[in-house]
Amino acid sequence: FTCDLIRNFSIIAHIDHGKSTLADRLLELTGTIKKKEVGKNEQVLDKLKVERERGITVKAQTASMMHTFNGKPHVLNLIDTPGHVDFAWEVSRSLAACQGALLLVDASQGVQAQTISVFHIAQERGLKIIPVLNKIDLPAAQPERIAAQMQATFGTDPADIIHISAKTGKGVEDVLQAIIDRIPPPSGAPTAPLKAFLFDSLYDRYRGVISLVAVQDGILKKGDRVASCHTNKKYEVQEIGIMHPEEIPVNGLYPGQVGYIACNMKESSEAHIGDTLYRVGTAVDPMPGFKPAQAMVYAGIFPVETSDFPKLEESIKRLALTDRSVTVQRESSTALGQGNRLGFLGTLHMDVFRQRLEDEHDANIIVTAPTVPYKIVYKDKEVYVSNPTEFPDAVDAASKVKEIQEPIVKASIIVPEEYFGDMMDLCFTHRAEDLDHRYLDAGTGTSSSRIILTCTIPLSEIVTDFFDQLKSRSSGFASFDYEEAGYKASDLVKIVFLLNAKPVDALALIVHRSHEDAIGKEWVKKLVKVIPRQMFEVPIQAAVGKKIIARETLKAYRADVTAGLYGGHVERKMKVLERQKEGKARMKRMGSVNLPQEAFFEIMSSK
Ligand code: GDP
Ligand code: MG
């Protein structure tokens, strides 16, 4: 055995530039999977239903391919990475097990925001980067122009760029050859003390936690006694294998190899991402780990039917075991009963989690408005608050709050020049600062030049409608990426909504003072539409502290509740009637006003 015959690599790209398609072609070319008809994309590595539906990769998957070069059998380990800004953490940990990366760029779209961010992650990790231009079969492809753009942006030599069509398979052989020729084999010594890097974990109902590891030194065998540098806990390796992409048991993993082990870990928290495993009785220095994933967006998740809570919580826990970046806490609300407060890496991450709860666990849930983690500065301490109910009513001597800070991100937007004005406007209306821009193409001022716009912007501004507006106001051409940039003092207020003068805790929102009027009015208008009429008139108010900032009046009940409520909106009406039939419409008494869970559902799912 020798490391020389192993290559560990990843495919990195902006979303939709063709990672999964290229992965499929590579798996086919190496005979790992059967060849499919051209144009049929089953995307073997995208295992989750939500990934197939949305065409995004959420969880990094690995596959080992065998391929013979110059008469020698090589092992190529492909570690797939997610392509969305929310999952940058997953990208960075997948890359930790690699020596090289294919940087894939769509030849019709060119360099996009995530192309730049994944390039930087790969470069920081010291990986050999192979530039690949994909989709050259498209009539709109402009390979020369995009090659020049890559040269200007990354310093790529156009001669190094491989031109391919992952769809038709053209040029994919050259990619395989380049993986062998250009990516260095892993360095590691079979005779040195065992060192295995733990970079991911899965949860299996029968075997417990399955860890994905990259062996650095030594040989990892079934029956070995290993220990964790992080927890010092000891385990016996029960099962060991490679991901082919399906699990295939093997006798041992050699230096540079990537595979899975099952070793009777009961809790997924025992599989610490970034941990180093070593053989019991030896001493090793742990490899550099990762900083833990930081939740950026929090929301409460409640069952539509309160009695479903135990089942829902069980489903949430199960799902969280397969997604290590989600944080889970208990939460209870007067309006919605028992629930959980979850932390996510971003709003897409939150959406994906919600969809998986619904798809895979058949859950019927209400998700509250997303909140970012705010920092409340007291005289003697700082407290992070990610639930509006815990947010102080005011910054003053009485509450002892000195200052409130909010998380800020450094954002970059790449957009064709003609949309530049719209993007500037979008940034301004979302409290952006430090705006700056430059041309992405080498020659500036040509008709279809692209501009990269950078700014700092409060995270709370981008967790709501920012992304949708970015897409619609740029006809889908803008791409967007961001990284954390610390905290900053800000004038934030808590809006509380009152039904018949009684506050509804689950509806509270934290907003910047400049947005309070608009948001207060908008929500009050939404509420008046979804709350059933009562026998008496009900005031619906939005308040900041003692000040009422918006008000609507729900007229008294007349005849048909559903008609008055949902107007002519047939689909919604059907949904509500159907739920009622299923016996799922449970009324919650809020003071003297009946507030159905459906009203929450409606308001939380409307944009
Ligand atoms: P990912 O998000 O990077 O994994 O991208 P996918 O592999 O899911 O591809 C995104 C879309 O581009 C899919 O509709 C693919 O069929 C399409 N696609 C990928 N590669 C090519 C290509 O070489 N040519 C063309 N015409 N379409 C491609
Ligand atoms: Mg994909």
Side-chain angles (χ1 to χ4, degrees), residues 16-21 41 43 55 134-135 137-138 165-167:
D16 278 348
H17 282 199
K19 278 189 310 290
S20 303
T21 311
N41 277 312
Q43 298 176 346
N134 187 31
K135 308 198 188 182
D137 61 292
L138 287 178
S165 164
K167 187 171 170 187

Side-chain angles (χ1 to χ4, degrees), residues 249-533:
V250 297
N251 291 324
L253 289 177
Y254 292 82
Q257 271 194 310
V258 176
Y260 70 90
I261 63 167
C263 58
N264 264 341
M265 281 186 184
K266 297 273 178 293
E267 301 273 330
S268 72
S269 58
E270 289 174 63
H272 181 80
I273 308 297
D275 200 354
T276 304
L277 301 178
Y278 61 97
R279 198 179 313 282
V280 172
T282 61
V284 300
D285 290 328
M287 288 177 261
F290 292 105
K291 67 176 175 87
Q294 181 68 48
M296 302 287 267
V297 176
Y298 291 82
I301 296 191
F302 294 88
V304 168
E305 192 154 352
T306 7
S307 60
D308 277 349
F309 175 69
K311 186 169 157 261
L312 175 64
E313 190 175 46
E314 181 58 32
S315 303
I316 288 176
K317 278 190 180 153
R318 282 257 185 84
L319 206 48
L321 286 178
T322 68
D323 183 348
R324 298 295 302 282
S325 44
V326 174
T327 63
V328 184
Q329 281 178 310
R330 275 276 178 95
E331 171 174 20
S332 68
S333 146
T334 334
L336 297 175
Q338 280 277 25
N340 288 112
R341 189 146 195 94
L342 277 72
F344 302 99
L345 302 174
T347 43
L348 178 74
H349 186 210
M350 177 174 94
D351 261 14
V352 163
F353 194 90
R354 194 201 38 211
Q355 194 185 335
R356 289 188 66 191
L357 263 182
E358 289 169 350
D359 286 356
E360 297 165 33
H361 295 266
D362 211 14
N364 199 2
I365 51 174
I366 294 167
V367 183
T368 64
T371 306
V372 301
Y374 294 99
K375 196 198 278 183
I376 316 295
V377 183
Y378 294 89
K379 273 211 179 61
D380 49 346
K381 60 175 177 185
E382 293 178 352
V383 179
Y384 289 87
V385 164
S386 55
N387 190 337
T389 53
E390 292 157 18
F391 198 82
D393 284 321
V395 176
D396 56 26
S399 64
K400 297 204 175 72
V401 175
K402 261 176 61 184
E403 188 174 274
I404 296 173
Q405 298 182 0
E406 65 179 330
I408 303 288
V409 298
K410 189 167 186 300
S412 42
I413 296 170
I414 295 183
V415 74
E417 196 176 18
E418 56 266 39
Y419 298 103
F420 181 61
D422 283 312
M423 293 299 107
M424 289 287 281
D425 191 49
L426 177 71
C427 290
F428 277 129
T429 53
H430 288 78
R431 300 193 282 132
E433 286 175 9
D434 309 322
L435 279 96
D436 197 2
H437 72 278
R438 64 180 167 82
Y439 284 90
L440 199 60
D441 299 81
T444 58
T446 54
S447 60
S448 50
S449 288
R450 282 172 178 277
I451 284 181
I452 177 165
L453 173 73
T454 56
C455 62
T456 55
I457 190 165
L459 178 64
S460 66
E461 293 288 339
I462 58 176
V463 303
T464 51
D465 62 342
F466 188 82
F467 196 70
D468 292 338
Q469 282 203 34
L470 178 93
K471 286 290 169 192
S472 67
R473 295 179 68 175
S474 68
S475 311
F477 283 116
S479 67
F480 169 65
D481 195 30
Y482 64 85
E483 58 188 76
E484 292 164 51
Y487 275 78
K488 195 171 166 185
S490 186
D491 190 9
L492 299 160
V493 296
K494 170 155 93 175
I495 306 186
V496 174
F497 294 90
L498 309 150
L499 289 192
N500 215 18
K502 297 223 168 56
V504 184
D505 61 353
L507 288 177
L509 294 174
I510 299 164
V511 303
H512 189 257
R513 197 181 294 279
S514 63
H515 295 333
E516 72 176 29
D517 276 344
I519 293 178
K521 288 203 175 71
E522 181 195 339
W523 281 71
V524 162
K525 282 218 173 70
K526 280 194 208 170
L527 280 168
V528 80
K529 281 201 200 114
V530 299
I531 297 173
R533 291 183 184 191

